[in-house]
Amino acid sequence: MEKVKIYSRFERFWHWTQMMLILLLIITGFEIHGTFEAFGFETSVRLHSAAGWAFLILTIFAIFWMLVTGQSRQFVPVRNNIKSQIMYYISGIFKKEPHPVKKTADSKLNPLQRIIYFGLIILVFPVQLITGFSYLFFHYPDKPFAFEGLEAIAVLHTLGAFLLVAFVLAHLYLITTGHTITSNLQAMITGYEELDEETETATN
Ligand code: HEM
């Protein structure tokens, strides 16, 4: 086993800030939707808009960081090992087989994670931001651009919210599937992870 630096300081800051914002957006969003009561409708509306702005600013910083450091390449989907990764999650994991793909600082996402994160970054986040800000600026009568007929925007925004809830649930499970039950979590806290050199093969 070898201790390897996987996540930089910025990446960890980005991850945990994003986690808090997305949780807040989910809780306040579904209160606005009428699913449950948490902070009270008006407070939730205010918190939701504030978290929406914070999420936009964080996303701009993250895009800047990805482009400057070249880390955006880590999120590009690859063809190799998709099947072996699926088989690992379906059966290998329960037989304590080794992870089929080696995790390194230069390739920290497995082929399935690459597809999911790419989809989030290219599709779900932009859809939530564009529909969220359309809602904010065009929905309310006191806004200069307000107009009727935002149903499609509202449906897309709510659909995106359900996808994010599904993502968070799957993500929570997958956090526990590292070398030990807490190794993935520890890596995102400390930046370092204990990795096994011999039993795995590289993604690409
Ligand atoms: C990224 C995660 C996000 C999630 C999970 C989320 C979730 C939700 C949900 C479930 C609703 C209720 C939709 C309905 O019942 O029609 C909602 C409404 C809304 N969202 Fe989001 N949202 C997110 C991001 C954003 C962003 C980035 C903004 C931008 C400011 C935003 C602005 C709004 C606004 C203005 C409303 C309508 C509030 C109202 O009707 O008073 N949301 N959101």
Side-chain angles (χ1 to χ4, degrees):
M1 293 294 262
E2 198 194 357
K3 212 168 189 195
V4 183
K5 175 90 185 262
I6 297 284
Y7 301 114
S8 69
R9 203 180 284 252
F10 174 79
E11 236 170 335
R12 286 175 278 145
F13 163 77
W14 171 31
H15 176 270
W16 292 114
T17 315
Q18 182 160 273
M19 182 211 78
M20 286 188 288
L21 289 176
I22 288 182
L23 278 186
L24 188 61
L25 284 160
I26 287 174
I27 295 167
T28 52
F30 279 101
E31 169 155 34
I32 295 167
H33 189 68
T35 313
F36 50 71
E37 273 197 30
F39 304 102
F41 183 81
E42 279 185 19
T43 310
S44 264
V45 169
R46 268 192 229 113
L47 281 174
H48 197 80
S49 302
W53 281 106
F55 185 59
L56 175 68
I57 294 166
L58 184 67
T59 303
I60 292 170
F61 272 106
I63 291 171
F64 182 71
W65 170 81
M66 278 200 229
L67 296 179
V68 169
T69 60
Q71 288 294 309
S72 50
R73 72 178 187 282
Q74 299 236 10
F75 298 88
V76 177
V78 290
R79 286 193 197 171
N80 296 357
N81 284 315
I82 294 182
K83 206 171 152 202
S84 49
Q85 191 65 44
I86 294 174
M87 289 317 293
Y88 175 73
Y89 283 135
I90 293 176
S91 87
I93 193 170
F94 302 110
K95 296 182 202 153
K96 298 219 174 348
E97 283 174 12
H99 285 249
V101 171
K102 182 177 166 61
K103 187 174 183 178
T104 67
D106 289 330
S107 179
K108 49 195 127 195
L109 301 175
N110 73 45
L112 293 185
Q113 288 174 318
R114 281 177 182 251
I115 294 170
I116 298 295
Y117 292 146
F118 188 76
L120 282 180
I121 291 169
I122 291 292
L123 194 68
V124 182
F125 287 172
V127 164
Q128 285 314 85
L129 284 163
I130 292 166
T131 54
F133 279 100
S134 307
Y135 231 147
L136 190 63
F137 287 117
F138 303 130
H139 180 54
Y140 297 102
D142 59 327
K143 291 279 170 8
F145 309 110
F147 64 87
E148 294 298 318
L150 282 177
E151 281 90 355
I153 297 280
V155 168
L156 269 180
H157 197 73
T158 311
L159 185 70
F162 276 110
L163 283 178
L164 278 166
V165 171
F167 167 77
V168 170
L169 294 177
H171 193 69
L172 287 176
Y173 165 63
L174 290 173
I175 285 173
T176 65
T177 62
H179 283 280
T180 67
I181 200 162
T182 57
S183 62
N184 284 341
L185 180 64
Q186 274 169 13
M188 198 45 98
I189 295 171
T190 64
Y192 288 87
E193 188 169 346
E194 295 262 344
L195 293 177
D196 189 344
E197 276 252 22
E198 283 152 28
T199 46
E200 298 169 330
T201 58
T203 327
N204 48 23

